[in-house]
Amino acid sequence: MSETTHGRYTLSTDPDRLDPARVHHWLSTDAYWALGRSRAKQDAAIAGSLNFGAYDTRTGEMAAYARAITDHATFAWLCDVYVDRAARGEGLGTALVAAVRDHFAPLGLRRILLATEDAHGVYEKLGFEPLHTPGNWLVLPLE
């Protein structure tokens, strides 16, 4: 995906459009999974990921963010999906996740994985589903 639109927003993977300070502020102060994340840690995460942003076409201001960790061939992990509180209720989060899904569709990945505590409905309407065999998955907690 280079760019697509949703209402008054342009969705883009252009790294030059990202506002890392805004992303850090959103996630470190308002996202339960990233509260207190340092700016250095967030900048490293951005540098090692494929980043998706949504930008208001009137102001150019970033309104939403998502990132994917991927090998572009078999697997992607979707994370840090966040919509600015002022832009919520317009379907922007759903549009952003759909753009991520559609970006990867032609690559033939086996799966895109994510974790959420409270947004199952957003993801399920785009085709995400619970793990069929969650007992097969393991995690190595390092924190």
Side-chain angles (χ1 to χ4, degrees):
M1 172 183 99
S2 52
E3 287 192 356
T4 188
T5 59
H6 173 75
R8 71 174 201 255
Y9 300 99
T10 299
L11 286 63
S12 175
T13 55
D14 181 354
D16 293 331
R17 295 191 73 176
L18 281 178
D19 183 344
R22 188 172 180 96
V23 171
H24 174 255
H25 174 74
W26 283 336
L27 297 179
S28 68
T29 65
D30 195 37
Y32 67 82
W33 65 89
L35 293 175
R37 184 182 289 169
S38 74
R39 175 67 192 267
K41 181 76 75 175
Q42 185 60 52
D43 287 349
I46 288 170
S49 302
L50 175 60
N51 300 279
F52 296 78
Y55 306 90
D56 189 308
T57 56
R58 297 172 302 180
T59 65
E61 186 173 83
M62 190 172 198
Y65 174 76
R67 69 185 180 93
I69 301 111
T70 183
D71 61 10
H72 298 277
T74 63
F75 179 81
W77 174 270
L78 175 59
C79 55
D80 288 346
V81 178
Y82 186 91
V83 178
D84 185 89
R85 288 187 175 274
R88 292 182 186 173
E90 302 178 47
L92 184 55
T94 300
L96 185 60
V97 173
V100 173
R101 178 200 61 199
D102 296 348
H103 174 86
F104 288 115
L107 302 180
L109 274 60
R110 279 194 75 185
R111 65 184 49 92
I112 300 172
L113 195 63
L114 65 87
T116 184
E117 278 186 17
D118 58 359
H120 294 78
V122 171
Y123 299 107
E124 287 170 345
K125 66 183 163 188
L126 293 168
F128 287 83
E129 56 190 49
L131 291 171
H132 292 286
T133 53
N136 289 358
W137 292 83
L138 299 173
V139 64
L140 177 62
L142 299 174
E143 285 189 4

